[in-house]
Amino acid sequence: MKGDKLEEQDPCPHQPIQGLTKGDKLEEQGLGPEPTAPQQPTEEEEALIEFHRSYRELFQFFCNNTTIHGAIRLVCSQHNRMKTAFWAVLWLCTFGMMYWQFGLLFGEYFSYPVSLNINLDSDKLVFPAVTVCTLNPYRYTEIKGELEELDRITEQTLFDLYKYKSPNTAVARPRGRRDLRETLPHPLQRLRAPPPPLRARRARSAASGMRDNSPQVDWKDWKIGFQLCNQNKSDCFYQTYSSGVDAVREWYRFHYINILSRLSDTSPPLEEDLLGNFIFACRFNQASCNQANYSHFHHPVYGNCYTFNDKNNSNLWMSSMPGINNGLSLMLRTEQNDFIPLLSTVTGARVMVHGQDEPAFMDDGGFNVRPGVETSISMRKEALDRLGGNYGDCTKNGSDVPVKNLYHSKYTQQVCIHSCFQESMIARCGCAYIFYPRPRDVEYCDYRKHNSWGYCYYKLQVDFSSDRLGCFTKCRKPCSVTSYQLSAGYSRWPSVTSQEWVFQMLSRQNNYTINNKRDGVAKLNIFFKELKYKTNSESPSVTMVTLLSNLGSQWSLWFGSSVLSVVEMAELIFDLLGITSLMLLRRFRSRYWSPGRGRRGAREVASSPPSSFPSRFCPHPTSPAASQPSPAPIPALAAPPPAYASLGPCLSPGGSGSAAPGSPACPLGEP
């Protein structure tokens, strides 16, 4: 029993020894315990981070312990190569499909799609600004001296081209075409249009032959225009129009711009009752307007313009109730006795609805009011909020747009486009276009100072329309836009039964005395149709939370795993890198840092796996003679022996315990 207890304390298990009989085995069990040296801590016990010893061991550990579905089949079916190959191919295909889906999800996320959200709100609304213009830039009597020469030449041109003579103004002295060229540059001419294609000429000849056999002048073969040349007259072109009316108006407007540039920069003097001469009555929300509710500016074509409820108003108008009685009501004078006949060809008034901090572009967003008609404009407010940055090409305040704002107002796309055109006009033509604001120290265009500005302007218009100037590219859309959707209704005003007393009151109160009474007045009503307003806002369609959710759904669909499974995959990659690095380091050390061991020994050390070296080596006798007790205890080896060394001296048959000099090492287990 005592021998059994001592045998249990032996840290090294006994190995069976060849060549022992049954008696020898019993004799071996009767031996006393061998004294052992204290155990030394191995390298594995001291290491903080341990790696697997081979790729196979790492792969088996991963497949047996991972939470990814299907991975364990690669190990469980290792004795069946067909099943192993099938599950390996299936696992790789599933892995590829999942990452293909991942690529689609990431592509959708980085395309930055947006969703449009529509909200309907109802609250008190700020009434927008309303601009009303007279459609006549100047009273003809005030500017008649500057326009007299232009009007006389225009009437002479009309007579030469169309045999038209104005009944109101007699030409003092008829002038020939030579006199006109000397007095006014760029004369209006009738030009022959280029011949049409052969097929069109044949069709026209056949139609003319069916109507009349006598040849007549076809006015469609003529165009009206005027010539424009550059500074040194090396390049010229004709600005032509198919309609004589359009040609005369554009030619007159071109020379009218040159006359305006010579006038004073200040607005024309206003009479004390000038607003009363144009606006007979003004009411908002059943209360009369006063002088603090409007501001005045002058437009080169639309004349005197009045803006109600603009940003300069101390108390902005608020609408708490919808309907025609809770809006703006204006009674306008639309008579045209003193209009410039060749410039103003329409009658009525020009109206535009816009925001308080936006300029009034009467050409872009205005509409005309007919005389003798009550025009009712109902409004509906809409707001749009766009996402900037990666989700959309918009700007918040225009500070990141490479165009200087010449209007000194809120940034809008129209403000930027007009400012961009004016900058290009100044850069190329050397002067500013009179319809747009000009910077300091820059003059308005006048062919007396800039004789080729017309050539430059019309060339610039072509480049602007085709976006060669880049204005539409530079001027990005604002991120926040407030617009008003308008719908109009018309009715005859005043009615036949009420016109007598209406005109009687206007004649007494507003000095309204004209022959055709109905064509001289108009009424305008602007109001909110409803206080509900729509807000369109953009939001990211795919956020980071949505992306992670979609990725997790795809991962669960193809592998049925979770986030911790992703960590397991990361751990597998880390272990693969660690094992590869250690193997390369061991091979490098065995080849270059172990001199004298020989090329074969280095190859054996590098190729031998670490698992072949036990942590503790316990020697056992290899022959019956070696099993005899020795006078001194043999200490246990704390390090693995070299691959090419023997375990000890080969004992002689006599048991002397010493090896003969030059004797070879004996193999383990050899008798």
Side-chain angles (χ1 to χ4, degrees):
M1 298 297 292
K2 184 177 180 180
D4 295 337
K5 185 175 182 181
L6 293 175
E7 185 179 358
E8 291 178 358
Q9 295 177 356
D10 189 3
C12 300
H14 295 280
Q15 301 291 338
I17 303 175
Q18 298 180 1
L20 294 179
T21 61
K22 184 176 181 180
D24 296 335
K25 184 176 182 181
L26 294 175
E27 184 180 357
E28 179 186 358
Q29 294 176 356
L31 296 175
E34 297 179 357
T36 59
Q39 299 181 1
Q40 300 293 332
T42 63
E43 184 179 357
E44 294 180 356
E45 293 176 352
E46 293 179 353
L48 180 63
I49 300 177
E50 298 180 359
F51 292 96
H52 296 276
R53 293 180 175 85
S54 64
Y55 293 116
R56 182 182 183 87
E57 181 181 351
L58 173 63
F59 181 72
Q60 290 180 353
F61 175 80
F62 176 78
C63 294
N64 288 326
N65 298 277
T66 185
T67 57
I68 300 177
H69 293 184
I72 196 172
R73 293 289 184 180
L74 301 176
V75 178
C76 294
S77 58
Q78 61 183 350
H79 299 293
N80 192 330
R81 295 183 178 180
M82 182 176 295
K83 284 187 177 182
T84 303
F86 170 76
W87 279 101
V89 171
L90 183 62
W91 201 81
L92 292 176
C93 291
T94 305
F95 197 78
M97 288 295 296
M98 182 192 68
Y99 273 93
W100 176 63
Q101 294 289 336
F102 280 5
L104 295 179
L105 293 176
F106 277 107
E108 182 184 7
Y109 175 76
F110 286 107
S111 64
Y112 301 104
V114 296
S115 299
L116 186 62
N117 304 321
I118 301 177
N119 299 323
L120 293 177
D121 300 321
S122 180
D123 199 358
K124 289 183 179 181
L125 298 178
V126 178
F127 199 81
V130 178
T131 300
V132 185
C133 299
T134 60
L135 283 181
N136 187 36
Y138 294 98
R139 293 294 177 181
Y140 188 69
T141 56
E142 298 177 359
I143 200 174
K144 185 177 181 180
E146 287 78 6
L147 298 180
E148 184 177 3
E149 183 70 14
L150 177 60
D151 291 343
R152 184 171 61 250
I153 296 176
T154 304
E155 291 176 1
Q156 182 65 44
T157 303
L158 292 176
F159 180 79
D160 293 341
L161 297 178
Y162 295 100
K163 305 302 179 184
Y164 169 77
K165 186 176 181 180
S166 175
N168 298 327
T169 304
V171 179
R173 182 174 61 88
R175 296 188 179 187
R177 302 301 292 171
R178 182 179 300 176
D179 296 334
L180 294 180
R181 290 190 183 96
E182 294 176 357
T183 305
L184 204 62
H186 315 293
L188 193 64
Q189 306 175 32
R190 187 171 62 186
L191 307 171
R192 178 176 289 273
L198 180 60
R199 185 176 301 177
R201 291 203 305 268
R202 288 178 178 177
R204 183 184 301 176
S205 300
S208 300
M210 294 176 61
R211 292 194 304 266
D212 190 2
N213 294 327
S214 60
Q216 295 181 357
V217 177
D218 193 349
W219 293 98
K220 294 182 180 179
D221 292 338
W222 296 91
K223 286 184 178 297
I224 307 298
F226 51 97
Q227 189 182 38
L228 298 165
C229 298
N230 59 357
Q231 185 73 24
N232 54 7
K233 309 295 181 181
S234 61
D235 184 22
C236 298
F237 71 94
Y238 283 93
Q239 185 72 16
T240 59
Y241 301 88
S242 59
S243 172
V245 176
D246 295 337
V248 172
R249 290 189 69 249
E250 184 64 25
W251 180 78
Y252 189 92
R253 178 171 173 169
F254 173 70
H255 291 285
Y256 169 76
I257 291 174
N258 292 273
I259 295 175
L260 286 184
S261 63
R262 303 169 203 158
L263 299 178
S264 177
D265 294 339
T266 59
S267 300
L270 300 177
E271 302 177 4
E272 294 182 0
D273 58 344
L274 185 59
L275 180 64
N277 288 338
F278 174 56
I279 299 177
F280 291 158
C282 173
R283 292 179 63 85
F284 176 78
N285 201 9
Q286 302 299 324
S288 298
C289 307
N290 53 39
Q291 192 174 0
N293 298 131
Y294 73 91
S295 61
H296 169 267
F297 69 93
H298 186 267
H299 193 276
V301 173
Y302 296 106
N304 291 325
C305 298
Y306 304 92
T307 302
F308 294 88
N309 197 37
D310 62 349
K311 61 181 179 180
N312 296 325
N313 192 358
S314 58
N315 296 320
L316 295 179
W317 291 341
M318 299 292 296
S319 292
S320 57
M321 291 289 292
I324 192 172
N325 295 324
N326 299 286
L328 177 64
S329 179
L330 299 174
M331 189 181 301
L332 308 175
R333 180 174 182 171
T334 59
E335 55 88 12
Q336 49 183 346
N337 290 337
D338 207 11
F339 276 28
I340 301 176
L342 294 172
L343 184 65
S344 303
T345 57
V346 295
T347 182
R350 187 77 172 177
V351 182
M352 181 180 178
V353 179
H354 55 94
Q356 273 79 17
D357 48 0
E358 299 176 5
F361 295 108
M362 307 306 295
D363 286 326
D364 301 338
F367 59 92
N368 291 338
V369 175
R370 296 172 54 188
V373 172
E374 181 178 7
T375 305
S376 298
I377 305 297
S378 60
M379 300 182 300
R380 181 177 294 173
K381 181 182 177 181
E382 288 189 6
L384 175 61
D385 294 329
R386 298 185 180 95
L387 289 176
N390 296 326
Y391 292 95
D393 188 18
C394 69
T395 178
K396 293 184 178 180
N397 53 11
S399 59
D400 53 348
V401 174
V403 177
K404 182 180 179 181
N405 188 353
L406 299 178
Y407 287 86
H408 305 288
S409 62
K410 177 184 177 182
Y411 176 86
T412 63
Q413 196 169 22
Q414 290 299 102
V415 166
C416 179
I417 290 175
H418 290 311
S419 300
C420 177
F421 180 84
Q422 187 72 303
E423 285 185 357
S424 303
M425 185 76 183
I426 296 172
R428 292 193 184 183
C429 306
C431 57
Y433 191 51
I434 197 171
F435 284 2
Y436 305 141
R438 62 182 175 91
R440 294 182 178 179
D441 302 330
V442 178
E443 295 180 341
Y444 282 125
C445 294
D446 180 11
Y447 50 61
R448 290 186 179 180
K449 299 179 181 179
H450 317 88
N451 56 359
S452 62
W453 83 266
Y455 169 88
C456 180
Y457 168 74
Y458 287 105
K459 286 286 187 181
L460 198 67
Q461 279 282 3
V462 176
D463 295 341
F464 174 75
S465 302
S466 58
D467 199 22
R468 297 194 193 117
L469 301 180
C471 292
F472 297 98
T473 305
K474 297 177 185 177
C475 298
R476 296 182 290 165
K477 298 174 291 186
C479 294
S480 298
V481 179
T482 300
S483 60
Y484 298 92
Q485 304 299 324
L486 308 179
S487 58
Y490 306 95
S491 60
R492 186 177 180 179
W493 183 88
S495 63
V496 177
T497 58
S498 61
Q499 62 180 353
E500 293 298 332
W501 74 268
V502 170
F503 290 132
Q504 184 69 20
M505 296 293 294
L506 292 177
S507 63
R508 291 182 177 273
Q509 184 176 1
N510 301 99
N511 194 19
Y512 179 74
T513 55
I514 59 174
N515 297 327
N516 194 349
K517 299 178 180 179
R518 185 175 298 279
D519 292 340
V521 291
K523 194 172 183 179
L524 175 66
N525 300 314
I526 301 178
F527 57 92
F528 277 111
K529 183 178 181 180
E530 56 185 3
L531 295 183
K532 295 180 181 179
Y533 62 96
K534 182 170 64 174
T535 302
N536 302 321
S537 59
E538 293 180 350
S539 61
S541 179
V542 181
T543 60
M544 182 59 69
V545 177
T546 308
L547 177 64
L548 294 177
S549 177
N550 294 335
L551 293 177
S553 300
Q554 293 296 325
W555 185 276
S556 300
L557 173 65
W558 295 105
F559 286 102
S561 51
S562 62
V563 177
L564 298 180
S565 304
V566 180
V567 180
E568 293 176 359
M569 293 291 296
E571 182 186 16
L572 174 65
I573 296 174
F574 177 76
D575 290 343
L576 286 173
L577 295 176
I579 292 176
T580 304
S581 301
L582 290 178
M583 292 182 66
L584 293 176
L585 180 61
R586 186 182 300 117
R587 183 179 296 273
F588 180 79
R589 293 179 61 182
S590 64
R591 177 172 298 181
Y592 298 103
W593 290 0
S594 301
R597 297 180 59 180
R599 191 175 293 178
R600 179 179 178 182
R603 188 182 308 112
E604 290 178 358
V605 173
S607 60
S608 59
S611 59
S612 62
F613 304 140
S615 61
R616 295 182 178 87
F617 178 74
C618 300
H620 295 282
T622 58
S623 62
S627 62
Q628 297 178 2
S630 59
I634 301 176
L637 297 178
Y644 51 83
S646 62
L647 297 178
C650 186
L651 301 177
S652 63
S656 61
S658 63
S663 60
C666 57
L668 181 64
E670 183 176 322

